[in-house]
């Protein structure tokens, strides 16, 4: 049976530069910070927070321009370093000096960039369905890596029709079933949680989304991996079409002492496909870190 935190506090924080950020806090205890994937929601972590909040205080936030966080005045300021600027200010606002971090997809890059800047802030790190960076090269492959930037530019120019198309597609009742048939999602996907994620995803502003994705493609934290000296767990799905498992294998091999869990039938959404395995690996990581 899925457990849910008893209370989730949603708040807002405005940075000195006027950037408004929406954040969530639940549970009590030592801090654990969840770094979302691009377009991800706090509810998408529901299985993990249900486990963590019984022993830890869990924090998360929405990146610039997503799910209520304000669009920056300079719309190009949605790079990974910009999100880490926000994260450092939020950590101070929350009174968190050091925490365990869990990053999902984009969140892996955000957490690693924070480690580059302030390694003492991370007590442990779980990398879920992510890449250290240069995703257009290491994930999509050379051909798509050349074509995708052009598609992102087109998305930015044609945002209104793309927004409408995304709402129609994600609102279609057959979308999850089709995704399972083509291998985008595993049969074990929690359709209730993922359906809520799709509802919010379809309401994103896709011009800004494209700019954020382009920033992920330009970011590179592979050089950080050999310096990581905290307990680390790398978790991926063997059938992940977005961040293939070979990226996770390479990432784990470059972090001293990192554990690696490849979930055989998992896709990019293992946290809502096999939460039992993901939760178990995160719990083992925190125990290994004596956290």
């Amino acid at each position: 049976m899925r457990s849910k935190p008893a209370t989730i506090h949603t708040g807002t924080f405005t940075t000195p530069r006027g950037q408004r950020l929406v954040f969530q806090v639940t549970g009590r205890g030592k801090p654990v910070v969840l770094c979302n994937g691009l377009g991800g929601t706090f509810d998408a972590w529901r299985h993990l927070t249900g486990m963590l909040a019984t022993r830890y205080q869990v924090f998360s936030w929405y990146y610039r321009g997503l799910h209520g966080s304000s669009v920056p005045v300079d719309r190009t300021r949605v790079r990974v370093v910009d999100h880490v600027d926000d994260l450092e200010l939020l950590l101070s606002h929350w009174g968190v000096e050091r925490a365990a971090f869990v990053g999902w997809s984009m969140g892996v890059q955000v957490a690693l960039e924070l480690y580059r800047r302030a390694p003492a802030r991370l007590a442990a790190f779980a990398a879920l369905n992510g890449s250290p960076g240069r995703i257009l090269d290491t994930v999509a492959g050379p051909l798509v890596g050349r074509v995708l930037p052009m598609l992102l530019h087109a998305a930015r120019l044609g945002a209104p029709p793309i927004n409408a198309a995304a709402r129609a597609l994600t609102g279609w009742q057959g979308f999850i079933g089709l995704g399972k048939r083509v291998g985008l999602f595993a049969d074990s996907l929690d359709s209730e949680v993922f359906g809520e994620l799709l509802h919010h995803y379809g309401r994103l502003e896709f011009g800004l989304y494209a700019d954020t994705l382009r920033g992920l493609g330009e970011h590179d934290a592979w050089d950080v991996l050999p310096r990581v000296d905290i307990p680390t767990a790398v978790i991926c799905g063997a059938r992940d079409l977005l961040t293939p498992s070979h990226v996770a294998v390479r990432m784990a091999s470059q972090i001293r002492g990192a554990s690696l869990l490849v979930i055989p039938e998992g896709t990019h959404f293992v946290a809502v496909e096999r939460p039992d395995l993901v939760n178990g690996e995160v719990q083992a990581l925190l125990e290994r870190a004596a956290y």
Side-chain angles (χ1 to χ4, degrees):
M1 179 181 297
R2 185 197 311 133
S3 59
K4 294 180 67 175
T7 302
I8 298 173
H9 169 70
T10 298
T12 60
F13 169 72
T14 302
T15 72
R17 292 182 176 270
Q19 177 67 52
R20 188 186 72 251
L21 302 166
V22 176
F23 66 86
Q24 299 82 21
V25 184
T26 189
R28 305 181 80 174
K30 290 184 176 180
V32 176
V33 177
L34 307 180
C35 304
N36 290 311
L38 178 53
T41 65
F42 188 70
D43 195 58
W45 297 99
R46 185 187 302 176
H47 293 284
L48 184 61
T49 57
M51 183 269 288
L52 290 174
T54 61
R55 295 180 55 193
Y56 300 96
Q57 189 168 33
V58 182
F59 299 85
S60 191
W61 83 104
Y62 292 141
Y63 304 122
R64 300 179 176 198
L66 302 179
H67 305 308
S69 289
S70 63
V71 175
V73 174
D74 180 353
R75 292 171 62 93
T76 67
R77 298 297 299 272
V78 287
R79 303 162 300 174
V80 172
V81 292
D82 299 316
H83 303 303
V84 175
D85 287 343
D86 293 340
L87 175 55
E88 287 199 291
L89 291 169
L90 280 167
L91 290 172
S92 297
H93 176 68
W94 294 330
V96 173
E97 292 292 330
R98 190 167 184 260
F101 282 74
V102 183
W104 185 350
S105 192
M106 171 181 171
V108 172
Q109 292 178 247
V110 171
L112 284 172
E113 192 60 32
L114 176 66
Y115 190 90
R116 181 202 302 278
R117 187 180 299 185
R121 283 197 175 274
L122 286 78
F125 175 43
L128 177 63
N129 293 112
S131 167
R134 306 298 299 180
I135 59 172
L136 303 184
D137 298 330
T138 60
V139 176
L143 177 61
V144 179
R146 288 192 293 269
V147 173
L148 190 55
M150 294 185 289
L151 296 177
L152 294 177
H153 182 66
R156 187 167 181 263
L157 294 178
I162 290 175
N163 289 342
R167 283 192 292 271
L169 181 62
T170 56
W172 175 44
Q173 290 187 347
F175 181 77
I176 291 178
L178 176 63
K180 289 181 178 181
R181 286 194 293 275
V182 301
L184 188 60
F185 318 128
D187 289 338
S188 59
L189 181 76
D190 185 326
S191 297
E192 178 188 340
V193 173
F194 199 76
E196 293 173 6
L197 174 61
L198 285 177
H199 172 78
H200 293 287
Y201 192 87
R203 283 153 180 77
L204 295 176
E205 201 268 82
F206 277 86
L208 193 71
Y209 184 96
D211 285 338
T212 306
L213 184 56
R214 182 170 56 188
L216 295 179
E218 295 169 351
H219 172 255
D220 190 349
W222 282 98
D223 63 300
V224 175
L225 302 186
R227 292 181 249 156
V228 175
D229 63 355
I230 56 174
T232 301
V234 179
I235 306 168
C236 68
R239 294 171 47 209
D240 190 338
L241 300 178
L242 301 178
T243 50
S245 59
H246 69 80
V247 176
V249 172
R250 180 184 168 198
M251 179 165 44
S253 72
Q254 295 189 27
I255 299 175
R256 185 171 55 254
S259 64
L260 173 66
L261 173 64
V262 181
I263 299 175
E265 296 303 313
T267 72
H268 196 63
F269 306 99
V270 292
V272 288
E273 293 170 343
R274 291 303 307 270
D276 55 330
L277 297 180
V278 172
N279 288 5
E281 191 72 2
V282 172
Q283 186 171 34
L285 169 69
L286 295 175
E287 291 173 358
R288 194 163 77 243
Y291 189 74

